[in-house]
Amino acid sequence: MSEVRLAAEARTEFGKGAARRTRRAGKIPAVLYGHGSDPKHLALPALEFARVVREHGQNAVLTLEIESSTELALTKTVTTHPIKNYIEHVDLLLVQRGEKVAVEVPIVITGDAVPGTLVTQDLTTIEVSVEALHIPEQFEVSIEGAEAGTQITAADVPLPAGAELVTDGEALVLAVNVAQSATGASDEGEGGESAAESSED
């Protein structure tokens, strides 16, 4: 994942009223913490930060330009408004080059299982420990040609070199099952209704 530079301003006002004023000014309230340092209250440019999240995901690593200094930070938590969907607040974790961090990385399923099966995905992310400047945007898991009974656990997800699995390796990511329509076909009599259809009455 590439590093992104972003200008940030120190905030001296706090509370809900101050946060609203920050957002009205086109900025996002943020807190930078980590490595035993005192939390720094910042304001990030809203449009630029939203673009960073859109292009690099919620694990984006930022080089923050704060007045005359720079800080390397991992985007830890992005809080969005539940209805209006704008970013309300951001938590940033101070990191150092070469340091490993624990992050949740999305899992993307590719390919198609054999016909007559149903794929259920239990986990959409897994947690890994990885170098801060080499966080993958996603992990791809192929189910091309997978048959009923196939199960993929967290330990089966291919990780890049240097990444270590934090999630329990036995945690189920997905399972390929026989589709209900396939198992229920034999229960349908001539000219009768299937179990799924009759249950609608």
Side-chain angles (χ1 to χ4, degrees):
M1 179 178 293
S2 59
E3 180 183 342
V4 181
R5 301 187 77 86
L6 205 64
E9 299 174 5
R11 283 191 296 132
T12 55
E13 291 185 305
F14 311 109
K16 291 184 178 180
R20 282 195 293 268
R21 286 191 291 274
T22 298
R23 287 190 286 266
R24 280 200 298 268
K27 302 181 186 300
I28 302 169
V31 176
L32 174 65
Y33 62 93
H35 289 287
S37 61
D38 292 333
K40 294 181 180 179
H41 297 267
L42 306 172
L44 307 177
L47 292 177
E48 288 87 341
F49 182 77
R51 184 171 63 247
V52 168
V53 172
R54 189 168 57 248
E55 294 177 356
H56 299 273
Q58 292 202 5
N59 290 325
V61 175
L62 309 171
T63 297
L64 297 174
E65 299 173 346
I66 310 168
E67 297 175 349
S68 58
S69 65
T70 59
E71 300 279 15
L72 194 64
L74 169 69
T75 304
K76 196 64 178 175
T77 307
V78 178
T79 304
T80 58
H81 191 281
I83 299 173
K84 298 181 180 179
N85 204 35
Y86 63 81
I87 298 175
E88 290 187 305
H89 187 271
V90 178
D91 286 334
L92 301 167
L93 180 64
L94 194 63
V95 295
Q96 297 174 346
R97 295 180 187 279
E99 177 184 7
K100 279 195 168 185
V101 293
V103 292
E104 294 278 348
V105 178
I107 297 173
V108 176
I109 308 302
T110 63
D112 296 303
V114 299
T117 57
L118 177 67
V119 178
T120 56
Q121 185 173 355
D122 285 27
L123 293 180
T124 57
T125 65
I126 57 171
E127 187 176 9
V128 295
S129 175
V130 65
E131 202 274 313
L133 291 181
H134 294 89
I135 300 173
E137 291 188 18
Q138 62 187 37
F139 295 130
E140 292 190 359
V141 175
S142 174
I143 57 168
E144 185 64 37
E147 298 182 352
T150 299
Q151 292 188 334
I152 294 177
T153 64
D156 297 324
V157 177
L159 303 182
E164 299 175 4
L165 183 65
V166 176
T167 298
D168 182 356
E170 295 183 2
L172 184 65
V173 173
L174 65 84
V176 182
N177 305 302
V178 177
Q180 190 170 2
S181 58
T183 58
S186 60
D187 297 332
E188 186 177 347
E190 291 184 13
E193 297 181 9
S194 67
E197 290 173 333
S198 60
S199 64
E200 296 177 0
D201 292 338

